[in-house]
Amino acid sequence: MEWALNRKKRWMILVGSTLVLVQVLVNTSGCFREEKRSLLELKTAYSNHSLLPSWVDDDDDPNSDCCDWECVECDPSSGYVFNLSVSNIRDRDAYGRCFSTPFNWSLLLTFPQLTILDLSHNCFQNFVCQGGLCQMKQIEELYLNDNNFEGTLDPLMGNMTSLRTLDLSHNLLSGSIPASMAMMPSLRILNMGHNNFSGSIPVNMFEGKATSAVIFTHPIGLHILDLSHNKFSGHLPSSFTISPSLVFINLKGNDLTGKIPNYYPGGDNIVAIDFSDNNFKGHIPESIYSLKSLTFLLLAGNQLQEQLSSGICELRNLQILDLSRNKFTGSIPSCFNNIAFQDVNFVFSHGKRATVTPGGAKRYSTQIFGFKYRMGEIQVITKGSSRSYEGDTLKIMSALDLSSNQLTGEIPRELGDLSSLHTLNLSHNRLTGSIPESFHNLQNIESLDLSNNTLSGEIPLNLQDLYFLEIFNVSYNNLSGTAPEENQFANFDYSNYEGNPFLHWTNSNRRIPPPPAPLDKRKKDDSAVDFASFYWTFSASYVTVLLALVIILWINPYWRRVWFYFVEWCLFKCFC
């Protein structure tokens, strides 16, 4: 009896496992029907039905598997869609104009394992978080950038606790940032640049205690924060700190006021700070000079003043320093030659790789100093595969820009030691003295602008050995002598030298005494030709009239007699 029960039990286990195996094989043989229906409904939002051609229903192709469709990835073990990247599929009319397409956010609820959603570079316009997006706690990467999204952010976005990458840039979103978003524990990359957000930037308190204000700080913290080109206003709290994991912070193009906070105890990994084009006042805080990893420091377009501290030379890894369009006074520190100002092959956190799961489906890029660069290298692991935010070695132009300030004194000759520098701009200051001879050591310089100062003396002739120099401007100074004329200097003309009354240049396109204008010569010659023609015309007319009179008198006897009577009468009147 016991043997029969055991045999029956074994048969039940065998049948049950077979049914489970069949169910798994059925599920993994194609995408789920609910997800397929939702994808097809998403396609109907486009008026151009030729888009996404592989997305067809069962009537057109009964064997169509949505896991094989373009822009769709399914988990091979479960069969569920985990990556939906409908990026840059713009619906345009015959004139190339982009149709503003509504998006049905409720369709997302049919994708229980969706972790990557990319709707970037489309024309979607309605951003609704409730009833769809905000309920998807499993999403880890969300790219909604470069659309026409309007409206405000819902506080429920803070419920997306798995979100690691959020890109809302280049939209029309407005309002303030919900405080709940600053508490998202997994968030590593946040890009909200180029919108119309306003109000103050959210600041969290550690465990509700008013001990230190921390901007977007989590147990691990953000790596990249971009809030540039919005309408944020107010002061940054004087006690705010930077998360130890923060690599890049961009607050450019807002209306932030007050002083730049002087407290960066956790900024050991910070690579880029861009606070330019705001209304910050005061001076550069000394604590910034302790950020040894800082590679990009951009504070242009503010109201910063006072003298430049020599402490800035402690930032030895700087590649770009832009302090232009401020009110700095005093002389240029001679210790700038302690700074690298060179292309940096920078790996995130000095060789330490930060894991961002499943991250890195896209490369994060931003505008800084007018150049595009990709931020560092962040290794990411997605379903067992490794991806990374390639820094592309962060190769961009190294630059020092101190233009449009109130700097005085002479240009330090030590600046000539910056042999790796590509761009040097000292224009629109009050600098005096001569151009340092040491500038011939700037062998990689491509742009050198010293215009609108009161520099004097001659342009060093050895500057013509700067073979990469493409932009050279010394206009509106008090330079004298003769400008170099060989190599790259053969391409420079009046616009590069104007405003220097004692400066001369000898090339054909340079400042030399101009020859008489051909037009004036023609006018003079034309006047002489007219005067000679007058005499010739008068003589010809006289001879013609005389010949006509002789012919008439020869032919007609009557007029001949009249003519003789007239001559006789004239002689009688004149002499009798």
Side-chain angles (χ1 to χ4, degrees), residues 65-127:
D65 182 2
C66 69
C67 291
D68 297 328
W69 291 355
E70 57 186 309
C71 308
V72 178
E73 289 186 64
C74 296
D75 190 313
S77 60
S78 66
Y80 284 102
V81 174
F82 79 90
N83 184 357
L84 178 57
S85 298
V86 193
S87 175
N88 201 24
I89 304 180
R90 298 177 184 264
D91 197 6
R92 301 183 182 274
D93 60 14
Y95 299 99
R97 293 173 297 191
C98 191
F99 287 117
S100 293
T101 308
F103 186 83
N104 188 353
W105 296 98
S106 62
L107 296 176
L108 299 177
L109 296 177
T110 59
F111 300 93
Q113 294 188 15
L114 186 66
T115 56
I116 302 174
L117 177 61
D118 187 353
L119 303 178
S120 63
H121 297 278
N122 282 285
C123 300
F124 299 124
Q125 63 180 11
N126 60 320
F127 182 75

Side-chain angles (χ1 to χ4, degrees), residues 563-576:
W563 171 255
F564 288 142
Y565 290 149
F566 175 74
V567 172
E568 185 179 3
W569 179 82
C570 289
L571 292 174
F572 179 79
K573 287 289 185 184
C574 292
F575 299 104
C576 295

Side-chain angles (χ1 to χ4, degrees), residues 184-202:
M184 299 168 76
S186 302
L187 197 61
R188 300 292 176 267
I189 298 176
L190 177 61
N191 186 359
M192 304 177 68
H194 294 270
N195 279 283
N196 295 315
F197 291 114
S198 58
S200 59
I201 296 177

Side-chain angles (χ1 to χ4, degrees), residues 40-54:
L40 291 173
E41 188 172 348
L42 172 62
K43 181 180 178 180
T44 61
Y46 297 101
S47 61
N48 186 357
H49 299 296
S50 63
L51 300 174
L52 302 171
S54 62

